[in-house]
Amino acid sequence: MDQRNVTRITQIHLLGFQIPLSITFLVFFLFLTMYCVTICGNLLIITLVSYSKSLHSPMYFFLSQLSICDILLSTDILPNMIRAVLVKKTIMSFSDCLIQFYFCVITESSESLLLTVMSWDRYLAICEPLHYSLKMNYQVCCILVILCWILGIFLLLTYTLTISKLQFCGPNIIDHFFCDFDPIMQLSCSDTTIVRLEVTVLGFIFVVFPFFTIFVSYFYIIATILKIPSSTGRQKVFSTCSSHLTVVSIYYGTLACVYLAPNRGQTQTLNKLLALLYTVVTPMVNPIIYSLRNKDLKKAIRKFINNVLNIHFNKY
């Protein structure tokens, strides 16, 4: 093994998007706007759930936790990406690169588990309404949310520590806008079999099993809805879970595009655009979907805005 192979990487160069100089500020403004919309939209959801008594229910409590995940994910990815648009390259320490990767995976995994818990909540509300208040009380909701975060943090810490023990011999350039798993593994000159096996197992726990659980839950939910005699009743019941179903479809649809689609023939630019879907676009559209498709949230938003305006005008 030559000297290059035994030299441990200490810095990472993230290339980001190779954008022509003529549209640099346009792209910078676009990403900055997306980040602001993501933060403001998800903070609005959290504020409304805390502020409005009509939203003090398990469904909206889980939604506020989902918004926290989206804020953490976008904050982990977007600031560095926005900076890379301007300077064309971001230099970060290798430890910071692993930390960014770790927090990205934690938030994505916790979000996957939260979406699963939300589907179970909808299943109980629609299929077992008489037992709903007993099975989904405040204590149960808190325990489920804590479990989602604990599983995400400690199980994923296992293989992140395994990655940190590998030898990385470079080159220290990552042609991506954040430190993702495959770009990091491409820098390693060690055997990555164990790490990839761990990723496969954890992928089953955090992606395959949750998706299967959500699929089964909605199978029973749809079957129950179809048994409702009136079309108005069916539409009213389905409206309570349509937002969640839309978010789930977007979330797992983007993950499937990134990780299940064959990589052969794909350019690195296309890989970046696909990764952009679940790291940037999904956290931004989640609060928009819930706000547009949920009557309770619409009412809470109107009430919140009216109260803010009344307070403002009363000062004058």
Side-chain angles (χ1 to χ4, degrees):
M1 183 179 294
D2 59 25
Q3 183 64 30
R4 184 185 72 87
N5 289 333
V6 297
T7 302
R8 189 173 179 85
I9 293 176
T10 58
Q11 287 187 328
I12 294 294
H13 295 244
L14 286 174
L15 297 182
F17 289 96
Q18 304 305 302
I19 299 168
L21 187 61
S22 59
I23 61 170
T24 295
F25 286 101
L26 177 62
V27 176
F28 166 78
F29 180 75
L30 175 63
F31 285 154
L32 182 61
T33 302
M34 293 174 73
Y35 182 54
C36 292
V37 170
T38 301
I39 299 299
C40 293
N42 285 289
L43 281 178
L44 178 62
I45 295 292
I46 296 170
T47 303
L48 289 175
V49 172
S50 302
Y51 164 81
S52 178
K53 292 183 179 180
S54 63
L55 302 182
H56 289 176
S57 65
M59 180 175 70
Y60 296 110
F61 174 68
F62 295 136
L63 177 59
S64 67
Q65 297 301 311
L66 189 68
S67 292
I68 293 173
C69 282
D70 288 336
I71 289 174
L72 291 176
L73 178 60
S74 59
T75 302
D76 185 46
I77 301 296
L78 268 168
N80 273 334
M81 188 175 75
I82 292 171
R83 181 176 180 272
V85 170
L86 291 179
V87 301
K88 303 303 180 185
K89 182 189 292 184
T90 297
I91 300 175
M92 62 196 307
S93 67
F94 185 71
S95 59
D96 287 343
C97 183
L98 287 182
I99 290 171
Q100 185 191 49
F101 167 69
Y102 179 52
F103 277 101
C104 177
V105 176
I106 285 176
T107 51
E108 285 289 341
S109 302
S110 299
E111 182 161 339
S112 180
L113 295 177
L114 279 170
L115 288 172
T116 307
V117 169
M118 292 172 75
S119 70
W120 185 56
D121 170 73
R122 291 298 84 205
Y123 165 78
L124 290 177
I126 295 172
C127 301
E128 299 184 21
L130 298 179
H131 301 94
Y132 179 72
S133 59
L134 179 64
K135 292 184 177 180
M136 193 59 76
N137 54 49
Y138 180 75
Q139 184 178 6
V140 172
C141 292
C142 291
I143 290 173
L144 288 173
V145 168
I146 292 171
L147 281 176
C148 288
W149 284 106
I150 289 177
L151 285 173
I153 292 171
F154 288 102
L155 287 181
L156 292 167
L157 180 62
T158 303
Y159 89 88
T160 306
L161 290 175
T162 307
I163 292 174
S164 65
K165 294 177 182 178
L166 297 176
Q167 283 288 335
F168 293 89
C169 52
N172 63 341
I173 297 174
I174 292 181
D175 188 10
H176 214 302
F177 61 88
F178 77 105
C179 294
D180 203 0
F181 177 73
D182 282 333
I184 293 176
M185 288 298 99
Q186 290 173 10
L187 306 182
S188 177
C189 49
S190 304
D191 184 8
T192 60
T193 304
I194 295 177
V195 178
R196 294 185 181 277
L197 180 61
E198 289 178 348
V199 169
T200 302
V201 173
L202 291 172
F204 179 83
I205 295 173
F206 289 104
V207 179
V208 178
F209 178 73
F211 177 76
F212 178 76
T213 304
I214 293 171
F215 178 81
V216 172
S217 297
Y218 272 98
F219 175 82
Y220 284 104
I221 288 171
I222 293 172
T224 302
I225 291 174
L226 292 177
K227 293 179 182 178
I228 298 175
S230 66
S231 59
T232 304
R234 289 195 297 268
Q235 185 177 0
K236 183 177 180 181
V237 173
F238 184 75
S239 65
T240 63
C241 58
S242 60
S243 299
H244 177 257
L245 187 59
T246 303
V247 169
V248 166
S249 301
I250 294 173
Y251 178 78
Y252 284 103
T254 54
L255 285 182
C257 289
V258 175
Y259 294 109
L260 298 183
N263 290 326
R264 290 183 179 180
Q266 289 186 8
T267 63
Q268 187 60 27
T269 301
L270 179 58
N271 289 333
K272 293 178 188 178
L273 291 174
L274 291 174
L276 195 68
L277 289 176
Y278 75 92
T279 57
V280 177
V281 177
T282 301
M284 180 183 68
V285 300
N286 282 353
I288 297 174
I289 291 171
Y290 275 100
S291 299
L292 292 178
R293 299 178 65 89
N294 191 289
K295 293 181 180 179
D296 293 334
L297 272 175
K298 288 180 182 178
K299 291 179 181 177
I301 290 173
R302 285 195 294 267
K303 185 178 179 181
F304 179 77
I305 293 174
N306 288 334
N307 287 343
V308 171
L309 291 175
N310 289 334
I311 293 173
H312 176 74
F313 287 119
N314 287 337
K315 290 182 179 179
Y316 300 97

